[in-house]
């Protein structure tokens, strides 16, 4: 379901992101076709990103970026025909399980009025703050009894889900 992202995945990602985010951004009066693509190009870090595949086909993207006090769940989008299928929930659960082993909170932001907010709330995210465009959410750390502190504690990830090594 997850495979390591690569630098050359970017064009496919920016195109899907533009499609997936268009309705919410238009509703907020903020859709700009060039900006929606540029923002992902500027922030894309393949070493912290995975490509979501369903039946061997490109289905979306997700990133889990480490920060000093949390992980940031970012650039999470799924092909429209798969939204509501449980695929997104399975991806979130997998990533949160990894974070729980480390005992670190996870943060994200979601557009105001986005249906994705319900997905995050089902997985324990709560609103931390809001502005007219974004809702900033956090899922407090849920350490497991064997949780360790440090990047190595994220634990083994199937080879198909490992990000590419950093040079």
């Amino acid at each position: 379901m997850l495979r390591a992202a690569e630098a050359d995945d970017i064009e496919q990602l920016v195109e899907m992101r533009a499609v997936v985010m268009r309705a919410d951004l238009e509703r907020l009066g903020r859709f700009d076709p060039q900006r929606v693509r540029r923002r992902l190009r500027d922030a894309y870090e393949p070493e912290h990103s995975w490509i979501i595949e369903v039946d061997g086909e490109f289905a979306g993207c997700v990133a889990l970026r480490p920060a000093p006090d949390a992980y940031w769940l970012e650039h999470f989008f799924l092909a429209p025909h798969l939204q509501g299928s449980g695929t997104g929930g399975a991806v979130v659960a997998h990533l949160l399980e990894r974070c729980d082993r480390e005992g670190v909170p996870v943060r994200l932001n979601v557009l105001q009025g986005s249906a994705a907010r319900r997905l995050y709330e089902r997985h324990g995210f709560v609103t931390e703050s809001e502005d007219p465009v974004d809702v900033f959410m956090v899922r407090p750390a849920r350490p497991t009894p064997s949780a360790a502190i440090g990047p190595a504690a994220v634990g083994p990830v199937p080879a198909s889900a490992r990000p590419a090594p950093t040079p």
Side-chain angles (χ1 to χ4, degrees), residues 25 39 43 49 64 86:
L25 289 170
R39 286 192 60 160
S49 304
L64 192 63

Side-chain angles (χ1 to χ4, degrees), residues 17 25 30 32-40:
R17 182 177 191 264
L25 289 170
R30 299 189 53 94
D32 175 315
Q34 285 75 39
R35 184 173 188 263
V36 73
R37 289 168 172 88
R38 185 182 66 246
R39 286 192 60 160
L40 181 57

Side-chain angles (χ1 to χ4, degrees), residues 61-62 73-78 88-89 92 96 106-111 114-127 135 137-139 142:
C61 179
V62 65
L73 182 65
E74 300 175 318
H75 313 303
F76 184 28
F77 49 87
L78 194 59
V92 170
L96 292 177
V106 180
R107 289 184 155 67
L108 60 82
N109 64 292
V110 62
L111 291 172
S114 172
R117 183 175 178 174
R118 291 189 305 275
L119 168 71
Y120 300 133
E121 288 170 340
R122 283 194 304 272
H123 286 275
F125 284 86
V126 295
T127 300
V135 178
M137 303 181 82
V138 63
R139 181 181 176 269
R142 295 184 181 175

Side-chain angles (χ1 to χ4, degrees), residues 13-165:
L13 296 176
V14 297
E15 292 309 315
M16 182 177 284
R17 182 177 191 264
V19 168
V20 170
M21 294 189 68
R22 183 177 190 132
D24 281 333
L25 289 170
E26 283 179 340
R27 180 179 40 76
L28 294 168
R30 299 189 53 94
F31 183 73
D32 175 315
Q34 285 75 39
R35 184 173 188 263
V36 73
R37 289 168 172 88
R38 185 182 66 246
R39 286 192 60 160
L40 181 57
R41 282 188 186 104
D42 291 349
Y44 182 56
E45 296 177 346
E47 65 273 17
H48 300 298
S49 304
W50 291 270
I51 302 303
I52 302 165
E53 294 182 336
V54 174
D55 297 327
E57 298 293 322
F58 173 73
C61 179
V62 65
L64 192 63
R65 181 179 52 83
D69 65 339
Y71 279 100
W72 278 87
L73 182 65
E74 300 175 318
H75 313 303
F76 184 28
F77 49 87
L78 194 59
H81 73 280
L82 292 169
Q83 293 174 10
S85 70
T87 302
V91 170
V92 170
H94 173 74
L95 295 175
L96 292 177
E97 188 177 293
R98 294 179 60 211
C99 294
D100 286 348
R101 285 194 295 262
E102 192 171 338
V104 176
V106 180
R107 289 184 155 67
L108 60 82
N109 64 292
V110 62
L111 291 172
Q112 286 283 3
S114 172
R117 183 175 178 174
R118 291 189 305 275
L119 168 71
Y120 300 133
E121 288 170 340
R122 283 194 304 272
H123 286 275
F125 284 86
V126 295
T127 300
E128 199 168 36
S129 65
E130 297 184 45
D131 65 30
V133 176
D134 290 304
V135 178
F136 295 87
M137 303 181 82
V138 63
R139 181 181 176 269
R142 295 184 181 175
T144 60
S146 61
I149 302 301
V154 172
V157 178
S160 62
R162 280 189 210 128

